[in-house]
Amino acid sequence: MSEDRASPTHESLLRQALVGFALGEPERSIQYLEAFLALGPLSAEQETACAPYIREIEWRLAHVSDIPSPARNLLISRLRLSIANASADPDLRSAPEFGEGEPPHGHSEEALPSGGLVRRTPHLGFDAPLQPDALFKVQVYLDTQAAQAGEDSEDVVLPAGTQVQVHLTVSSHFVVLSDVVRTMTVNATGGPSQACSFELAVKPANALRVDVPPLITALFFHNGRPSGKVTRMVSITGLAAAAAPLGRPARVELQRCRTPDLCIAIRAAEANDGRQFECTLSTPLLDAYKVPVTTAWNLPGVAEQLVRGYMQAFTRKQPGPGALIAELRGAGIALFDAAPKSFRNLFWELVDAKKPPREICIVSEEPYVPWELMIPRRKRTNGEVEMRKPLGVEFPIGRWIPPDFVAGRTRIPLTDSYVIAPKYAGTRLVLAFSDAEQALLTHDFAAEPISPATFAQIAEKLTSAGRSLVHFVCHGKDGGDGRQVLQLENGEELSSSQLLGIEGLERTFARKRPFVFINACEVGRGTAALVGLGGFATSFIELGASAVIAPLWSVKDGIAHQVAETFYNTIKLEPNTPFAEIMRRLRAKAYESSSAEDTYAAYCFYGDPCATC
């Protein structure tokens, strides 16, 4: 990235390095430190902001035993030199030799600093097997021990000493007699936290379902964001107990960031049929929702098929852009009507209280519903109809579809990139602005083109050396079966399912956590055509991407380039502007009479709505 980047980029890299140390992952920390140094000289303001972090990092480096001393000392010297003129921390410039002196802020090697990020494993404790009609208690706690037999546990990675809300959900075999939400504190030490206790009852034997397993789940929320969970299979006398699936460790490091004004968490209900979900809502704007509230969300059909039905009229050929946008608005009204009733009620409650949210955070196991396009509409008691702008036009929206119950990252530094822009044979397929888009990324984000853009070359590059940004400029199409397909060179294709099968790619993504932008364009497009519902966004997030921008339908080449150009220029000039806000501004153009083009509305941002560079 160019040297005129503002300090948040440098600070973000240093914060990420501290996260790696706190989690016992020094290799990751060193990668962030090298990226920090690669940005070049800092301004005086940047030096002052970064000096306190480097003092902390120096102490951390000095106590990592598996880094050779020459390499460690050279890295510390380079870090000191980067802020040689900083006035904020004179102690750093005259610091003792590496590894000498007291640790900063009263640290000890055994204990993490107060507020430092820690990793804790959640557990569910109760006596089993249970009897029908039995009353029992469940203890929810955190520690550093591995998941127990029967537990599917996703680690909580949070600042030590902070509070989390624990939300208990159960299968239909149980009834929760106590409050379903409790609060606990994340310990700085590795011992068990103080447990949250819940009182439950097992239903009578004749009311116990035998077609689904008995489950108890504790969901963890921090600052309104989903932050981990633990599920335990329950043995009930007279019912066969199924084995718990193996969990996976949390892959996300949460940075300090303000609470989103509206958080929506969607989980599949026990039927897991694509129609029945649980919707958890929370907002600091209304007292009744400061504690998460969960209700059922039952769709009239399978989500993917339902959304395809709503979008079918939109993707048919229309007589002009006005008719196309009218169909898009009609689909938006239908989508809002299909949204959870509890969400619709809360939305209008916020509007009536004159407390509209600044942003909306959606963490969902349901990947198909495009919340960005929903248009709120209601009929008032006096018969008047009130209609709002589309949600994704009125509010920045971050939609996250993770493989675990953890919200997206809030800091995503962009320091280098790959650009994948196939050279198509024949004038019919040529994308006129492909070269300009590649030049933009090369100039501002140190892009390395992957050429030729064939499957073998893309697989080799993406697995051998990661980048913080991966940008596609290509043709895309919908496979019709939940897959998305990108057209490469020489007539080759890359599908969203094929992506998951590239050996070594998940390992590289886990290390770099890249931002992925898919600009799937069409030349001479007569009308919109779906290029994927879920598809590549789901696959890239599954692999470990920090955020994804992808269109729901084919976009026009020229306007698609304008979208990319505006997005990246805004990041360069306004690095503190959330990615979701940039996309909100672009999406609004679709509904303005002077620029009414559906291409602007096609793009969805998958990530945290507060995330910045």
Side-chain angles (χ1 to χ4, degrees):
M1 193 174 290
S2 58
E3 293 181 6
D4 62 353
R5 297 285 294 150
S7 60
T9 296
H10 297 84
E11 289 182 72
S12 296
L13 290 169
L14 294 179
R15 281 196 293 265
Q16 290 299 321
L18 284 172
V19 167
F21 286 124
L23 298 179
E25 300 172 358
E27 291 183 358
R28 176 183 295 185
S29 299
I30 291 174
Q31 290 171 354
Y32 282 116
L33 294 177
E34 292 291 351
F36 166 82
L37 293 167
L39 292 182
L42 281 69
S43 66
E45 180 182 358
Q46 290 170 332
E47 291 176 356
T48 300
C50 292
Y53 294 102
I54 292 180
R55 173 66 169 156
E56 168 82 17
I57 288 169
E58 177 186 332
W59 182 84
R60 292 279 181 187
L61 281 169
H63 290 78
V64 176
S65 59
D66 55 353
I67 300 177
S69 294
R72 178 172 61 239
N73 293 347
L74 176 61
L75 182 56
I76 293 176
S77 296
R78 293 170 65 197
L79 289 170
R80 286 187 179 183
L81 184 62
S82 71
I83 56 167
N85 299 317
S87 59
D89 197 348
D91 291 337
L92 181 59
R93 297 196 302 276
S94 59
E97 288 304 307
F98 311 130
E100 297 181 0
E102 293 297 320
H105 312 302
H107 294 183
S108 67
E109 290 191 49
E110 294 75 25
L112 290 168
S114 176
L117 287 176
V118 297
R119 184 187 291 274
R120 297 289 179 261
T121 301
H123 302 282
L124 290 167
F126 53 86
D127 294 328
L130 297 169
Q131 300 293 327
D133 271 328
L135 301 178
F136 67 106
K137 290 186 177 181
V138 173
Q139 305 291 326
V140 182
Y141 61 96
L142 304 169
D143 64 18
T144 57
Q145 301 300 310
Q148 300 173 1
E151 285 183 340
D152 176 11
S153 189
E154 292 167 0
D155 288 355
V156 174
V157 182
L158 291 172
T162 57
Q163 289 190 330
V164 293
Q165 290 175 321
V166 184
H167 193 123
L168 198 74
T169 67
V170 297
S171 63
S172 60
H173 306 81
F174 309 100
V175 176
V176 182
L177 303 177
S178 60
D179 291 339
V180 296
V181 179
R182 304 286 195 195
T183 300
M184 71 163 53
T185 301
V186 179
N187 283 357
T189 60
S193 64
Q194 184 176 3
C196 291
S197 181
F198 298 86
E199 297 178 1
L200 290 80
V202 185
K203 288 185 177 180
N206 61 3
L208 296 176
R209 292 185 61 173
V210 297
D211 57 331
V212 293
L215 295 173
I216 298 176
T217 299
L219 309 175
F220 294 84
F221 294 84
H222 174 62
N223 283 344
R225 293 179 172 89
S227 304
K229 71 178 179 71
V230 56
T231 297
R232 180 171 166 182
M233 297 284 186
V234 184
S235 176
I236 301 177
T237 301
L239 289 182
L246 293 177
R248 59 191 304 165
R251 300 181 301 178
V252 64
E253 300 89 42
L254 296 179
Q255 298 88 36
R256 286 184 174 85
C257 188
R258 66 181 181 82
T259 304
D261 275 354
L262 178 55
C263 289
I264 305 169
I266 305 294
R267 295 180 65 245
E270 66 180 7
N272 199 23
D273 58 1
R275 296 180 56 248
Q276 301 176 60
F277 301 89
E278 293 178 348
C279 174
T280 300
L281 303 170
S282 64
T283 173
L285 303 178
L286 297 175
D287 289 341
Y289 289 90
K290 289 181 178 179
V291 173
V293 175
T294 298
T295 59
W297 178 29
N298 296 324
L299 289 165
V302 176
E304 181 183 7
Q305 298 172 0
L306 197 67
V307 173
R308 285 184 182 277
Y310 290 145
M311 302 299 292
Q312 196 171 32
F314 164 68
T315 54
R316 286 199 297 263
K317 186 173 180 62
Q318 301 295 333
L324 194 67
I325 296 301
E327 286 288 2
L328 183 61
R329 291 179 62 85
I333 294 170
L335 286 166
F336 183 77
D337 289 342
K341 184 178 180 180
S342 56
F343 162 71
R344 287 180 279 144
N345 291 340
L346 173 57
F347 176 82
W348 291 118
E349 192 173 343
L350 289 167
V351 169
D352 292 341
K354 293 182 170 45
K355 295 181 179 180
R358 286 172 294 182
E359 67 281 303
I360 300 176
C361 175
I362 303 167
V363 178
S364 178
E365 293 182 358
E366 191 292 303
Y368 302 110
V369 174
W371 295 71
E372 304 85 353
L373 303 180
M374 291 182 181
I375 297 181
R377 180 179 180 273
R378 65 173 172 178
K379 183 174 289 186
R380 290 185 170 276
T381 54
N382 60 4
E384 293 183 359
V385 175
E386 179 180 1
M387 188 179 300
R388 309 282 296 193
K389 295 178 180 178
L391 290 180
V393 171
E394 190 167 2
F395 313 103
I397 289 182
R399 185 151 54 98
W400 191 235
I401 44 178
D404 46 24
F405 192 71
V406 178
R409 288 177 133 195
T410 56
R411 294 289 180 184
I412 309 175
L414 303 180
T415 57
D416 52 9
S417 62
Y418 278 131
V419 59
I420 300 169
K423 305 299 182 184
Y424 295 116
T427 57
R428 186 180 64 85
L429 292 176
V430 171
L431 298 173
F433 296 92
S434 177
D435 290 344
E437 208 155 305
Q438 182 171 304
L440 169 69
L441 288 157
T442 301
H443 182 268
D444 289 331
F445 295 91
E448 176 186 343
I450 296 181
S451 181
T454 59
F455 176 84
Q457 187 72 358
I458 292 170
E460 179 184 349
K461 286 290 187 179
L462 291 185
T463 56
S464 61
R467 295 289 187 270
S468 61
L469 171 64
V470 179
H471 185 94
F472 291 83
V473 191
C474 57
H475 293 296
K477 62 182 180 180
D478 179 28
D481 53 0
R483 295 182 313 130
Q484 192 173 357
V485 176
L486 299 179
Q487 295 178 294
L488 307 178
E489 291 184 26
N490 302 332
E492 296 183 16
E493 295 182 340
L494 174 64
S495 72
S496 53
S497 58
Q498 192 178 33
L499 186 75
L500 294 173
I502 297 177
E503 186 175 359
L505 187 57
E506 187 167 13
R507 182 170 58 251
T508 306
F509 266 55
R511 185 175 72 250
K512 292 297 290 188
R513 304 296 307 281
F515 190 116
V516 179
F517 193 130
I518 303 173
N519 226 2
C521 314
E522 287 292 342
V523 175
R525 191 198 68 172
T527 187
L530 290 177
V531 295
L533 297 171
F536 273 105
T538 303
S539 294
F540 275 121
I541 293 171
E542 171 73 20
L543 288 168
S546 290
V548 177
I549 290 177
L552 290 177
W553 55 84
S554 58
V555 291
K556 295 181 179 178
D557 183 19
I559 299 175
H561 175 66
Q562 293 177 26
V563 168
E565 187 176 47
T566 300
F567 180 78
Y568 290 122
N569 284 340
T570 304
I571 290 175
K572 180 180 177 180
L573 299 174
E574 305 173 22
N576 290 326
T577 302
F579 302 124
E581 168 59 19
I582 302 174
M583 299 312 297
R584 184 202 65 79
R585 298 174 188 174
L586 286 164
R587 195 177 293 114
K589 292 177 176 290
Y591 301 89
E592 296 171 1
S593 56
S594 60
S595 58
E597 284 283 359
D598 67 276
T599 289
Y600 291 114
Y603 295 91
C604 295
F605 172 69
Y606 299 87
D608 192 283
C610 299
T612 59
C613 183

